[in-house]
Amino acid sequence: MGIEFAASAASINDQRVISLMSVHSSRQRRKDARPQELLEAALSLFVEKGFAATRSEEVAQRAGVSKGTLYLYYPSKEELLKAVVRSTLAVEVAEGARLLDEHQGSATEALLGPLVDWWIRVYNSPASGVFKLLLTEMCNFPELAEFYAQEVLEPGMGVMARLLMQGVERGEFRPLDIEMAVHSIAMPFVMMCVHKHSLGACGFKDIQPEAFMRGHMHLLLSGFQAAAAPGAGHLRGHKAT
């Protein structure tokens, strides 16, 4: 009888230990996921309402935590926005730079292939909302504007500039004003993302992003390319979709 009781007690204790371990593991997973949940809540609210109009309490409420918990991870709303940018656009810019740096073909092929594919991926991701957020409110927050320039704008423009300069050096492109050429590539793509989260979000008919982006790049390349450039045949044989 005593042996059976001891065995039963041991079994109960084991179950309690397992239960406590399961609760601890669940709480740990929840804690580990919390920063990302806060960033997702912040991004959605910032895009919907604007950075200035969004209150920290709203971010915490949407993420299902207290305001105090939010401040444990991000001590100010400005730091929260910086974390949002780092986890979305900055990550995408780094990945785009990697893809273009690893590209082995011509500059024309890189612009029509990896670069356009990268922009389409950004357009279809939550990161596209960051463009609208920053472009509409940066002038009121100079520190955040400087942060955006350092983390996103300069690296992104830099990788496109390197690609265009390679095309010029190889005789693939005519001599270009590189800075203006980079702006000509980037600004329409940025505005497509802004449209998605402004007029597009209000029910206005959206332009087909992939068709627009590929068509736009073909138009630019027809002006970039030198006469009888090595990549010109590829462009003529590459239909805009």
Side-chain angles (χ1 to χ4, degrees), residues 174-196:
R174 64 178 178 80
L176 298 172
D177 181 327
I178 297 297
E179 183 178 358
M180 289 299 101
V182 168
H183 284 301
S184 297
I185 293 172
M187 291 308 296
F189 291 162
V190 170
M191 291 310 299
M192 281 290 296
C193 292
V194 173
H195 180 275
K196 174 185 176 181

PDB file of all heavy atoms in Angstrom, residues 174-196:
ATOM      1  N   ARG A 174      25.143  54.198 -72.194  1.00  0.00           N
ATOM      2  CA  ARG A 174      25.789  55.455 -72.559  1.00  0.00           C
ATOM      3  C   ARG A 174      26.199  56.182 -71.279  1.00  0.00           C
ATOM      4  O   ARG A 174      25.753  55.817 -70.188  1.00  0.00           O
ATOM      5  CB  ARG A 174      24.824  56.315 -73.373  1.00  0.00           C
ATOM      6  CG  ARG A 174      23.580  56.744 -72.610  1.00  0.00           C
ATOM      7  CD  ARG A 174      22.690  57.633 -73.447  1.00  0.00           C
ATOM      8  NE  ARG A 174      21.467  57.998 -72.737  1.00  0.00           N
ATOM      9  CZ  ARG A 174      21.381  58.954 -71.821  1.00  0.00           C
ATOM     10  NH1 ARG A 174      22.463  59.642 -71.465  1.00  0.00           N
ATOM     11  NH2 ARG A 174      20.233  59.228 -71.238  1.00  0.00           N
ATOM     12  N   PRO A 175      27.037  57.219 -71.361  1.00  0.00           N
ATOM     13  CA  PRO A 175      27.359  57.994 -70.157  1.00  0.00           C
ATOM     14  C   PRO A 175      26.079  58.543 -69.521  1.00  0.00           C
ATOM     15  O   PRO A 175      25.237  59.131 -70.208  1.00  0.00           O
ATOM     16  CB  PRO A 175      28.250  59.120 -70.683  1.00  0.00           C
ATOM     17  CG  PRO A 175      28.871  58.544 -71.917  1.00  0.00           C
ATOM     18  CD  PRO A 175      27.809  57.674 -72.535  1.00  0.00           C
ATOM     19  N   LEU A 176      25.941  58.329 -68.227  1.00  0.00           N
ATOM     20  CA  LEU A 176      24.710  58.697 -67.530  1.00  0.00           C
ATOM     21  C   LEU A 176      24.998  59.638 -66.372  1.00  0.00           C
ATOM     22  O   LEU A 176      26.081  59.595 -65.777  1.00  0.00           O
ATOM     23  CB  LEU A 176      24.026  57.446 -66.958  1.00  0.00           C
ATOM     24  CG  LEU A 176      23.547  56.372 -67.930  1.00  0.00           C
ATOM     25  CD1 LEU A 176      23.090  55.138 -67.149  1.00  0.00           C
ATOM     26  CD2 LEU A 176      22.412  56.895 -68.797  1.00  0.00           C
ATOM     27  N   ASP A 177      24.030  60.475 -66.056  1.00  0.00           N
ATOM     28  CA  ASP A 177      24.021  61.161 -64.765  1.00  0.00           C
ATOM     29  C   ASP A 177      23.507  60.114 -63.778  1.00  0.00           C
ATOM     30  O   ASP A 177      22.303  59.863 -63.695  1.00  0.00           O
ATOM     31  CB  ASP A 177      23.095  62.375 -64.820  1.00  0.00           C
ATOM     32  CG  ASP A 177      23.063  63.157 -63.506  1.00  0.00           C
ATOM     33  OD1 ASP A 177      23.186  62.524 -62.436  1.00  0.00           O
ATOM     34  OD2 ASP A 177      22.894  64.387 -63.549  1.00  0.00           O
ATOM     35  N   ILE A 178      24.424  59.476 -63.067  1.00  0.00           N
ATOM     36  CA  ILE A 178      24.079  58.311 -62.260  1.00  0.00           C
ATOM     37  C   ILE A 178      23.025  58.645 -61.209  1.00  0.00           C
ATOM     38  O   ILE A 178      22.065  57.884 -61.005  1.00  0.00           O
ATOM     39  CB  ILE A 178      25.334  57.717 -61.588  1.00  0.00           C
ATOM     40  CG1 ILE A 178      26.324  57.222 -62.650  1.00  0.00           C
ATOM     41  CG2 ILE A 178      24.949  56.576 -60.650  1.00  0.00           C
ATOM     42  CD1 ILE A 178      25.810  56.089 -63.511  1.00  0.00           C
ATOM     43  N   GLU A 179      23.180  59.776 -60.549  1.00  0.00           N
ATOM     44  CA  GLU A 179      22.222  60.126 -59.497  1.00  0.00           C
ATOM     45  C   GLU A 179      20.815  60.284 -60.065  1.00  0.00           C
ATOM     46  O   GLU A 179      19.841  59.773 -59.504  1.00  0.00           O
ATOM     47  CB  GLU A 179      22.650  61.417 -58.799  1.00  0.00           C
ATOM     48  CG  GLU A 179      21.734  61.800 -57.645  1.00  0.00           C
ATOM     49  CD  GLU A 179      22.198  63.051 -56.918  1.00  0.00           C
ATOM     50  OE1 GLU A 179      23.257  63.603 -57.284  1.00  0.00           O
ATOM     51  OE2 GLU A 179      21.492  63.477 -55.978  1.00  0.00           O
ATOM     52  N   MET A 180      20.705  60.978 -61.200  1.00  0.00           N
ATOM     53  CA  MET A 180      19.390  61.161 -61.808  1.00  0.00           C
ATOM     54  C   MET A 180      18.826  59.833 -62.318  1.00  0.00           C
ATOM     55  O   MET A 180      17.617  59.583 -62.238  1.00  0.00           O
ATOM     56  CB  MET A 180      19.479  62.167 -62.959  1.00  0.00           C
ATOM     57  CG  MET A 180      19.698  63.600 -62.533  1.00  0.00           C
ATOM     58  SD  MET A 180      18.352  64.246 -61.490  1.00  0.00           S
ATOM     59  CE  MET A 180      19.101  64.123 -59.853  1.00  0.00           C
ATOM     60  N   ALA A 181      19.703  58.983 -62.835  1.00  0.00           N
ATOM     61  CA  ALA A 181      19.248  57.682 -63.328  1.00  0.00           C
ATOM     62  C   ALA A 181      18.704  56.825 -62.187  1.00  0.00           C
ATOM     63  O   ALA A 181      17.679  56.148 -62.333  1.00  0.00           O
ATOM     64  CB  ALA A 181      20.392  56.964 -64.036  1.00  0.00           C
ATOM     65  N   VAL A 182      19.376  56.870 -61.039  1.00  0.00           N
ATOM     66  CA  VAL A 182      18.907  56.110 -59.875  1.00  0.00           C
ATOM     67  C   VAL A 182      17.540  56.618 -59.430  1.00  0.00           C
ATOM     68  O   VAL A 182      16.628  55.831 -59.143  1.00  0.00           O
ATOM     69  CB  VAL A 182      19.928  56.195 -58.726  1.00  0.00           C
ATOM     70  CG1 VAL A 182      19.323  55.654 -57.431  1.00  0.00           C
ATOM     71  CG2 VAL A 182      21.189  55.418 -59.073  1.00  0.00           C
ATOM     72  N   HIS A 183      17.385  57.937 -59.371  1.00  0.00           N
ATOM     73  CA  HIS A 183      16.080  58.499 -58.998  1.00  0.00           C
ATOM     74  C   HIS A 183      15.005  58.096 -60.004  1.00  0.00           C
ATOM     75  O   HIS A 183      13.851  57.831 -59.624  1.00  0.00           O
ATOM     76  CB  HIS A 183      16.166  60.020 -58.909  1.00  0.00           C
ATOM     77  CG  HIS A 183      16.842  60.518 -57.671  1.00  0.00           C
ATOM     78  ND1 HIS A 183      16.389  60.227 -56.404  1.00  0.00           N
ATOM     79  CD2 HIS A 183      17.948  61.292 -57.505  1.00  0.00           C
ATOM     80  CE1 HIS A 183      17.179  60.799 -55.502  1.00  0.00           C
ATOM     81  NE2 HIS A 183      18.129  61.442 -56.146  1.00  0.00           N
ATOM     82  N   SER A 184      15.370  58.050 -61.280  1.00  0.00           N
ATOM     83  CA  SER A 184      14.403  57.672 -62.315  1.00  0.00           C
ATOM     84  C   SER A 184      13.930  56.234 -62.134  1.00  0.00           C
ATOM     85  O   SER A 184      12.785  55.898 -62.448  1.00  0.00           O
ATOM     86  CB  SER A 184      15.032  57.834 -63.706  1.00  0.00           C
ATOM     87  OG  SER A 184      15.360  59.184 -63.954  1.00  0.00           O
ATOM     88  N   ILE A 185      14.820  55.383 -61.637  1.00  0.00           N
ATOM     89  CA  ILE A 185      14.441  53.993 -61.363  1.00  0.00           C
ATOM     90  C   ILE A 185      13.577  53.907 -60.111  1.00  0.00           C
ATOM     91  O   ILE A 185      12.521  53.264 -60.097  1.00  0.00           O
ATOM     92  CB  ILE A 185      15.698  53.118 -61.186  1.00  0.00           C
ATOM     93  CG1 ILE A 185      16.460  52.995 -62.505  1.00  0.00           C
ATOM     94  CG2 ILE A 185      15.323  51.730 -60.661  1.00  0.00           C
ATOM     95  CD1 ILE A 185      17.815  52.311 -62.366  1.00  0.00           C
ATOM     96  N   ALA A 186      14.026  54.565 -59.047  1.00  0.00           N
ATOM     97  CA  ALA A 186      13.437  54.322 -57.728  1.00  0.00           C
ATOM     98  C   ALA A 186      12.115  55.039 -57.483  1.00  0.00           C
ATOM     99  O   ALA A 186      11.192  54.456 -56.896  1.00  0.00           O
ATOM    100  CB  ALA A 186      14.443  54.717 -56.645  1.00  0.00           C
ATOM    101  N   MET A 187      12.006  56.297 -57.908  1.00  0.00           N
ATOM    102  CA  MET A 187      10.853  57.085 -57.487  1.00  0.00           C
ATOM    103  C   MET A 187       9.508  56.524 -57.960  1.00  0.00           C
ATOM    104  O   MET A 187       8.549  56.481 -57.178  1.00  0.00           O
ATOM    105  CB  MET A 187      11.018  58.538 -57.920  1.00  0.00           C
ATOM    106  CG  MET A 187      12.119  59.278 -57.172  1.00  0.00           C
ATOM    107  SD  MET A 187      11.961  59.138 -55.358  1.00  0.00           S
ATOM    108  CE  MET A 187      10.414  59.998 -55.090  1.00  0.00           C
ATOM    109  N   PRO A 188       9.368  56.087 -59.216  1.00  0.00           N
ATOM    110  CA  PRO A 188       8.074  55.498 -59.601  1.00  0.00           C
ATOM    111  C   PRO A 188       7.730  54.250 -58.790  1.00  0.00           C
ATOM    112  O   PRO A 188       6.562  54.014 -58.469  1.00  0.00           O
ATOM    113  CB  PRO A 188       8.268  55.163 -61.086  1.00  0.00           C
ATOM    114  CG  PRO A 188       9.317  56.128 -61.546  1.00  0.00           C
ATOM    115  CD  PRO A 188      10.260  56.238 -60.384  1.00  0.00           C
ATOM    116  N   PHE A 189       8.741  53.447 -58.447  1.00  0.00           N
ATOM    117  CA  PHE A 189       8.485  52.258 -57.644  1.00  0.00           C
ATOM    118  C   PHE A 189       8.021  52.642 -56.241  1.00  0.00           C
ATOM    119  O   PHE A 189       7.104  52.044 -55.685  1.00  0.00           O
ATOM    120  CB  PHE A 189       9.747  51.402 -57.561  1.00  0.00           C
ATOM    121  CG  PHE A 189      10.125  50.745 -58.860  1.00  0.00           C
ATOM    122  CD1 PHE A 189      11.405  50.254 -59.048  1.00  0.00           C
ATOM    123  CD2 PHE A 189       9.204  50.605 -59.886  1.00  0.00           C
ATOM    124  CE1 PHE A 189      11.760  49.636 -60.240  1.00  0.00           C
ATOM    125  CE2 PHE A 189       9.544  49.990 -61.081  1.00  0.00           C
ATOM    126  CZ  PHE A 189      10.830  49.500 -61.263  1.00  0.00           C
ATOM    127  N   VAL A 190       8.668  53.653 -55.664  1.00  0.00           N
ATOM    128  CA  VAL A 190       8.259  54.122 -54.338  1.00  0.00           C
ATOM    129  C   VAL A 190       6.820  54.629 -54.382  1.00  0.00           C
ATOM    130  O   VAL A 190       6.008  54.338 -53.492  1.00  0.00           O
ATOM    131  CB  VAL A 190       9.215  55.223 -53.840  1.00  0.00           C
ATOM    132  CG1 VAL A 190       8.657  55.892 -52.580  1.00  0.00           C
ATOM    133  CG2 VAL A 190      10.600  54.645 -53.559  1.00  0.00           C
ATOM    134  N   MET A 191       6.490  55.386 -55.426  1.00  0.00           N
ATOM    135  CA  MET A 191       5.138  55.935 -55.529  1.00  0.00           C
ATOM    136  C   MET A 191       4.093  54.842 -55.728  1.00  0.00           C
ATOM    137  O   MET A 191       2.943  54.988 -55.304  1.00  0.00           O
ATOM    138  CB  MET A 191       5.065  56.959 -56.657  1.00  0.00           C
ATOM    139  CG  MET A 191       5.844  58.233 -56.378  1.00  0.00           C
ATOM    140  SD  MET A 191       5.470  58.961 -54.744  1.00  0.00           S
ATOM    141  CE  MET A 191       3.710  59.288 -54.899  1.00  0.00           C
ATOM    142  N   MET A 192       4.469  53.733 -56.356  1.00  0.00           N
ATOM    143  CA  MET A 192       3.546  52.606 -56.456  1.00  0.00           C
ATOM    144  C   MET A 192       3.202  52.078 -55.065  1.00  0.00           C
ATOM    145  O   MET A 192       2.046  51.752 -54.773  1.00  0.00           O
ATOM    146  CB  MET A 192       4.174  51.486 -57.290  1.00  0.00           C
ATOM    147  CG  MET A 192       4.102  51.708 -58.786  1.00  0.00           C
ATOM    148  SD  MET A 192       2.420  51.579 -59.441  1.00  0.00           S
ATOM    149  CE  MET A 192       2.060  49.867 -59.088  1.00  0.00           C
ATOM    150  N   CYS A 193       4.205  52.012 -54.196  1.00  0.00           N
ATOM    151  CA  CYS A 193       3.963  51.548 -52.830  1.00  0.00           C
ATOM    152  C   CYS A 193       3.091  52.545 -52.070  1.00  0.00           C
ATOM    153  O   CYS A 193       2.201  52.150 -51.305  1.00  0.00           O
ATOM    154  CB  CYS A 193       5.295  51.345 -52.107  1.00  0.00           C
ATOM    155  SG  CYS A 193       6.293  49.985 -52.755  1.00  0.00           S
ATOM    156  N   VAL A 194       3.345  53.834 -52.262  1.00  0.00           N
ATOM    157  CA  VAL A 194       2.527  54.859 -51.609  1.00  0.00           C
ATOM    158  C   VAL A 194       1.083  54.759 -52.096  1.00  0.00           C
ATOM    159  O   VAL A 194       0.134  54.836 -51.306  1.00  0.00           O
ATOM    160  CB  VAL A 194       3.094  56.262 -51.882  1.00  0.00           C
ATOM    161  CG1 VAL A 194       2.153  57.340 -51.345  1.00  0.00           C
ATOM    162  CG2 VAL A 194       4.480  56.413 -51.250  1.00  0.00           C
ATOM    163  N   HIS A 195       0.896  54.580 -53.399  1.00  0.00           N
ATOM    164  CA  HIS A 195      -0.452  54.456 -53.965  1.00  0.00           C
ATOM    165  C   HIS A 195      -1.194  53.271 -53.356  1.00  0.00           C
ATOM    166  O   HIS A 195      -2.394  53.358 -53.048  1.00  0.00           O
ATOM    167  CB  HIS A 195      -0.351  54.290 -55.482  1.00  0.00           C
ATOM    168  CG  HIS A 195      -1.680  54.146 -56.161  1.00  0.00           C
ATOM    169  ND1 HIS A 195      -2.327  52.931 -56.278  1.00  0.00           N
ATOM    170  CD2 HIS A 195      -2.492  55.060 -56.749  1.00  0.00           C
ATOM    171  CE1 HIS A 195      -3.472  53.104 -56.915  1.00  0.00           C
ATOM    172  NE2 HIS A 195      -3.598  54.377 -57.211  1.00  0.00           N
ATOM    173  N   LYS A 196      -0.497  52.177 -53.171  1.00  0.00           N
ATOM    174  CA  LYS A 196      -1.114  50.973 -52.605  1.00  0.00           C
ATOM    175  C   LYS A 196      -1.737  51.263 -51.247  1.00  0.00           C
ATOM    176  O   LYS A 196      -2.829  50.754 -50.932  1.00  0.00           O
ATOM    177  CB  LYS A 196      -0.056  49.874 -52.469  1.00  0.00           C
ATOM    178  CG  LYS A 196      -0.544  48.622 -51.749  1.00  0.00           C
ATOM    179  CD  LYS A 196       0.592  47.630 -51.557  1.00  0.00           C
ATOM    180  CE  LYS A 196       0.135  46.426 -50.743  1.00  0.00           C
ATOM    181  NZ  LYS A 196       1.238  45.451 -50.530  1.00  0.00           N
TER     182      LYS A 196
END
